[in-house]
Amino acid sequence: MTFTLPDHWVWDFWLARDGDTHHMLFLQAPISLGDPDLRHRNATVGHATSSDLRSWTVHGTVLEPTGGEAPDATATWTGSIVEAAAGWRMFYTGSRFLEPGRITNVETVLAATSDDLTEWVKDPGVVVAADPRWYETLAAGTWHEEAWRDPWVFADPDGDGWHMLVTARAVDGPGRDRGVVGHAWSPDLVRWEVRPPRSTAGAGFAHLEVPQVVQVEGRWALVFSCDSAHLAGHREGERGGIWAVALDDPRGPYDVRRATLVAPENLYSGRIAEDADGRPVLLAFENVAADGAFIGTLSDPLPVRWDGDRLVVTEDLR
């Protein structure tokens, strides 16, 4: 059944699996705000578990903004979870809005730790920010935010530390069309070195949100989201949503000019996972209704497969 909360909107989410249990961390904000656009300034992180990715048990809120002048002063946004020798580590986005009523915010990647995926403690020693040598910052005055969010962390296949992919924008390039996959590397999940982007500007996206590198039927793919309003360059006027591109190497580089649409933007922030039978499925949040109203619930899993070099959902999404 569709995952929904009676008094909160739900949108971006990330998953971790511990044995037969799927843990979902998700963004939530009170419906009582009235305007769905206000959810971004009021986001906290909730927790739910499931054995089948369909029926969920909600466990409450696990992460909230710090306040003050902290990098997560205003809101806690999207992240990912990895398991390491010392336990579970979550990397999440801290958002700090600088002006009331205006979208001027700085995004920073932060971390929290857990022994059981249920209780999380923030780690103040991890603060990963956009490096102006390669990435657009708020100080440049060319975009309304300092985009450095949605960290996806994975182990190097050859054992060379850990890679972090983030939603970012290049320091130069054609106007709106600067969306790139940002990159950082770490030897130990604590010390992080920001590196140049793993994709190039001019690929048709103002931003590439919630990136995920994942294997589907033995082949690597980069999955990300970009709505119609943030398509740029040669893609302007197309339909946005959840996108994917086949990869030869999970570390990139990523030729996102070849990305194709997996699901239209009535679904968004897609994540690939495996169900109880080991089949690849896509989960996403239900974004907008036919009349354009925000929905804010989570979809049931949808089976996916390769069709040549295209990743496709095997159910009709029209």
Side-chain angles (χ1 to χ4, degrees), residues 281-295:
V281 292
L282 172 74
L283 291 90
F285 82 80
E286 296 176 324
N287 184 20
V288 289
D291 62 0
F294 183 72
I295 300 174

Side-chain angles (χ1 to χ4, degrees), residues 66-178:
T66 299
E69 297 297 317
D72 60 352
T74 309
T76 48
W77 286 357
T78 313
S80 62
I81 296 171
V82 295
E83 186 177 14
W88 299 93
R89 293 190 69 86
M90 172 164 54
F91 296 89
Y92 70 97
T93 307
S95 182
R96 181 166 60 96
F97 281 78
L98 305 182
E99 300 178 58
R102 294 188 61 195
I103 306 175
T104 51
N105 67 299
V106 175
E107 299 155 8
T108 309
V109 173
L110 307 171
T113 61
S114 177
D115 295 327
D116 58 6
L117 290 164
T118 299
E119 299 289 336
W120 291 92
V121 178
K122 294 180 181 180
D123 179 357
V126 177
V127 179
V128 189
D131 188 322
R133 288 179 293 175
W134 302 300
Y135 300 103
E136 186 181 67
T137 64
L138 196 62
T142 51
W143 195 246
H144 61 267
E145 63 186 356
E146 187 168 305
W148 191 258
R149 63 183 180 274
D150 308 341
W152 178 260
V153 176
F154 63 98
D156 185 273
D158 296 327
D160 183 22
W162 301 79
H163 298 274
M164 177 189 293
L165 309 180
V166 295
T167 296
R169 284 175 52 85
V171 70
D172 51 24
R176 283 170 43 83
D177 201 356
R178 292 187 182 185

